[in-house]
Amino acid sequence: MIYPKIPLAQSIIQICLSKGITTIIISPGSRNAPLTIGFVNNPAFLCYSIADERAAAFFGLGIAQQTKQPVALVCTSGSALLNYYPAFAEAFYSQIPLIVISADRPQSKIDIGDGQTIRQENVFENHSLFNANLQENVSAANDLKINEAINTAITQKGPVHINAPFEEPLYETVSALSVAANTVAFANNTQIISIEEVSEYATIWNNATKKMILVGVNEPNAISKKTITAFAKEESVVVLTETTSNVHHETFINTIDTIITPFTEEDFEYFRPEILVTFGGMVVSKRIKTFLRKYKPKHHWHIDPWRAYDTFGALTKHFEVTPNVFFDAFLPLTNATESNYFQQFNAVKVLRKLKSDFYLSKIPFSDFKVFEKVIQRLPMNSQLQISNSSAIRYAQLIDIDPSIDVYCNRGTSGIDGSTSTAIGAAVANKKQTIFITGDISFLYDSNALWNNYIPKNFKIILINNGGGGIFRILPGHEESPVFNTFFETSHCLTAEHLAKMYGFEYGIASDETSLVTSLNALYAQNEKPSILEVFTPTLENDSILLQYFKQLV
């Protein structure tokens, strides 16, 4: 076996292996050579080489999203490290474990004018769960910091930073380890909640006739069927889900904006919940946030082992356990409550469905029509990755088959790494993966395609409306040169040459007939990854969507 000669690199690699951190994303460089040598020459590690650090970090995030295990990112010194920050922040807010291991110059070389040198210590401080600033020489203190960083990423589900200074020479190797690193076990905290802790809340629950459960970003199959069935049976409970909630039942409301956008003030007041229960990550719908911030529930309980954001300015209780642990203890204490809350909400749902189907049957080719056709034709039991901005918002308006797992980077809601995340997820999950993206998001992260690991069955559906369509549906849009250049980012670019350069199959569609034909061809071809670029009319998309909400009344 070949090992790096530098003892600190040996320690980091040994501790990673002892903790089961075996997926390593390496961005080529020189200062990180000791780490690269050690990881790549040990068959226990699965190493990927991604040149662009921003793409590499999101690629690793996609793998960690699927495996639920920490992924290590390894880079050289200087600005390379800063390119990890968008994915690092996404990991923080989405509670995805990432371990950044940055090579650094020794402390004596910082701020003296040496090349490729910045202040790397604590550079992620605002979003890092732990910062291990190591010393150049091996020590028990160093080992403790490395252990604590990795343990934190595992137990608290988030990103950590290990900064390791290396002095030249960097490429020397040895055939035997010169140090034996110390491994510190992490505490395995079994989550429990007692009857005493929830009994008073069960009393509040049993006396309420309007209970709303709002599910944010959630892992597929994370919520027990027993809990889902209990929600569905209770006539005083309304469950609101989103595409990214991955929680399904025919009685649940999964197109929130379609339901509540046409509400009058009287409707909002009537449907104001007495109790709001939330779990999962970020919520996409701005309209539900506006509703609950103005018409606050008397009680808002959030269920999450680590965090409780007061999204609606009404949080009254944080249960620091997983939803299944909470509901297993809580639901046996609850009683059926006589109420027409679900019945009234469901009546609105039925009416909106009729209006929605009729409207969609009449609209011309547009972004909205494309999303309807694309989502209807997704392969069952596949994985759907969606980019941010208008793409994820359109997806909230259309029913999706429960067999499909849905993901989106909603931690920071950025467009910067959606494609890279989707590719990482496709590598880690052998399901058929489809990525739906807009043109600006796709172009912004085009280095994601500079990747030697893309599965042959990976599909990109790129909706090109010639600019940032999201800005046309936001209040304040006014057609002008300033708007077109500085908000919408109007362009005439396509993915054709990128597809050719990176070895993707490429197809186009520009009307409903060619879209259906192209989708069939897209799923039939699995010899190499594919891009289907769908061109929609820039000037009509916003009016078609905005008119939709007016037609729902």
Side-chain angles (χ1 to χ4, degrees):
M1 186 91 72
I2 298 174
Y3 302 99
K5 185 176 182 180
I6 295 176
L8 178 58
Q10 293 182 21
S11 292
I12 293 170
I13 294 162
Q14 286 181 66
I15 295 171
C16 281
L17 186 58
S18 71
K19 300 287 184 185
I21 312 302
T22 55
T23 301
I24 316 294
I25 317 300
I26 300 171
S27 291
S30 182
R31 188 61 50 170
N32 57 335
L35 294 168
T36 301
I37 290 167
F39 282 124
V40 171
N41 285 289
N42 189 328
F45 295 103
L46 178 60
C47 297
Y48 299 89
S49 177
I50 306 287
D52 182 323
E53 283 86 4
R54 188 180 75 188
F58 278 107
F59 176 81
L61 183 137
I63 293 176
Q65 175 199 82
Q66 296 298 309
T67 63
K68 317 296 187 295
Q69 299 299 318
V71 168
L73 310 173
V74 177
C75 71
T76 191
S77 64
S79 61
L81 175 61
L82 303 183
N83 287 297
Y84 283 160
Y85 213 139
F88 198 95
E90 177 64 33
F92 176 80
Y93 287 107
S94 288
Q95 299 180 354
I96 294 175
L98 283 183
I99 300 167
V100 165
I101 308 174
S102 56
D104 198 359
R105 265 36 178 198
Q107 191 63 40
S108 61
K109 300 288 180 68
I110 309 301
D111 287 342
I112 65 165
D114 208 31
Q116 207 168 336
T117 305
I118 65 171
R119 300 173 187 175
Q120 293 185 197
E121 292 188 355
N122 304 316
V123 74
F124 301 124
E125 186 171 16
N126 284 342
H127 297 95
S128 181
L129 299 182
F130 189 86
N131 299 295
N133 298 308
L134 306 182
Q135 300 300 310
E136 188 178 347
N137 296 321
V138 165
S139 66
N142 267 350
D143 285 359
L144 186 61
K145 290 177 184 177
I146 299 166
N147 275 275
E148 191 166 353
I150 297 174
N151 290 351
T152 300
I154 293 170
T155 59
Q156 296 184 31
K157 306 296 181 188
V160 298
H161 178 206
I162 300 170
N163 192 60
F166 298 127
E167 184 57 281
E168 297 176 355
L170 302 168
Y171 293 88
E172 293 184 341
T173 62
V174 293
S175 58
L177 292 169
S178 59
V179 297
N182 298 312
T183 300
V184 179
F186 61 86
N188 189 7
N189 296 322
T190 302
Q191 294 186 344
I192 58 172
I193 191 167
S194 67
I195 292 175
E196 290 74 22
E197 290 178 89
V198 298
S199 58
E200 68 173 288
Y201 297 95
T203 301
I204 296 170
W205 177 275
N206 291 334
N207 289 327
T209 59
K210 296 180 181 180
K211 282 117 59 171
M212 180 182 289
I213 295 172
L214 176 60
V215 188
V217 173
N218 204 62
E219 295 291 340
N221 306 310
I223 306 303
S224 71
K225 291 182 179 179
K226 179 176 67 174
T227 296
I228 290 172
T229 301
F231 293 157
K233 286 181 177 179
E234 176 53 61
E235 60 187 23
S236 66
V237 171
V238 169
V239 180
L240 305 182
T241 66
E242 297 193 304
T243 303
T244 50
S245 299
N246 290 300
V247 175
H248 304 278
H249 193 277
E250 60 185 9
T251 66
F252 295 173
I253 290 171
N254 61 350
T255 53
I256 296 173
D257 288 358
T258 298
I259 303 298
I260 71 171
T261 298
F263 273 1
T264 64
E265 288 189 17
E266 290 77 15
D267 292 331
F268 281 122
E269 188 60 62
Y270 176 80
F271 287 111
R272 179 207 298 254
E274 298 166 63
I275 301 172
L276 172 67
V277 178
T278 56
F279 59 87
M282 303 298 188
V283 172
V284 176
S285 172
K286 288 185 176 181
R287 289 176 171 91
I288 193 65
K289 287 182 246 187
T290 300
F291 169 24
L292 294 170
R293 284 167 181 165
K294 184 174 181 180
Y295 300 88
K296 297 183 190 295
K298 185 176 180 181
H299 306 276
H300 173 201
W301 308 336
H302 187 72
I303 307 164
D304 185 277
W306 298 285
R307 301 180 205 166
Y309 296 118
D310 191 6
T311 304
F312 314 106
L315 186 68
T316 54
K317 179 62 179 178
H318 175 201
F319 293 99
E320 298 180 46
V321 291
T322 62
N324 283 336
V325 168
F326 173 78
F327 289 117
D328 283 349
F330 180 76
L331 289 176
L333 304 178
T334 63
N335 303 318
T337 305
E338 187 175 338
S339 170
N340 65 354
Y341 191 52
F342 168 78
Q343 182 183 10
Q344 293 293 98
F345 241 118
N346 194 59
V348 176
K349 174 184 172 182
V350 172
L351 174 64
R352 299 279 196 265
K353 175 66 174 169
L354 290 172
K355 297 276 189 178
S356 176
D357 289 348
F358 179 76
Y359 184 78
L360 280 166
S361 72
K362 300 296 184 182
I363 61 174
F365 192 72
S366 59
D367 283 353
F368 202 177
K369 176 59 72 173
V370 169
F371 272 89
E372 180 201 21
K373 295 301 179 185
V374 166
I375 289 178
Q376 284 176 351
R377 286 166 171 75
L378 289 170
M380 294 184 66
N381 300 303
S382 59
Q383 174 188 188
L384 173 63
Q385 294 273 340
I386 308 177
S387 72
N388 273 302
S389 224
S390 57
I392 188 61
R393 286 178 169 81
Y394 274 111
Q396 303 301 318
L397 305 176
I398 300 163
D399 291 337
I400 190 166
D401 190 273
S403 72
I404 297 169
D405 300 338
V406 184
Y407 298 88
C408 179
N409 286 347
R410 290 306 297 176
T412 62
S413 305
I415 67 167
D416 34 9
S418 298
T419 312
S420 296
T421 302
I423 292 171
V427 167
N429 187 333
K430 301 311 176 186
K431 284 186 175 184
Q432 166 77 77
T433 300
I434 299 95
F435 174 52
I436 303 176
T437 183
D439 48 328
I440 300 298
S441 180
F442 173 81
L443 293 168
Y444 198 95
D445 192 25
S446 60
N447 267 0
L449 307 186
W450 185 13
N451 183 311
N452 294 324
Y453 312 103
I454 303 173
K456 293 180 179 179
N457 66 347
F458 179 67
K459 317 289 185 186
I460 297 176
I461 299 175
L462 166 58
I463 301 171
N464 189 338
N465 55 26
I470 184 66
F471 293 102
R472 290 182 169 270
I473 60 177
L474 294 176
H477 159 239
E478 181 180 338
E479 204 71 31
S480 68
V482 169
F483 173 83
N484 294 338
T485 301
F486 295 101
F487 288 91
E488 187 183 42
T489 319
S490 299
H491 67 87
C492 297
L493 302 174
T494 78
E496 181 179 4
H497 296 293
L498 280 171
K500 183 177 181 180
M501 181 168 69
Y502 289 115
F504 276 67
E505 190 75 20
Y506 178 75
I508 63 172
S510 55
D511 56 41
E512 193 168 338
T513 300
S514 62
L515 175 61
V516 172
T517 301
S518 297
L519 285 171
N520 292 337
L522 181 75
Y523 297 126
Q525 194 283 124
N526 286 309
E527 294 303 312
K528 56 182 178 178
S530 305
I531 298 173
L532 170 59
E533 188 162 17
V534 186
F535 295 94
T536 63
T538 303
L539 300 179
E540 286 82 14
N541 286 317
D542 58 320
S543 60
I544 290 170
L545 179 62
L546 294 173
Q547 187 62 28
Y548 168 70
F549 294 110
K550 296 177 182 178
Q551 296 295 315
L552 293 172
V553 179

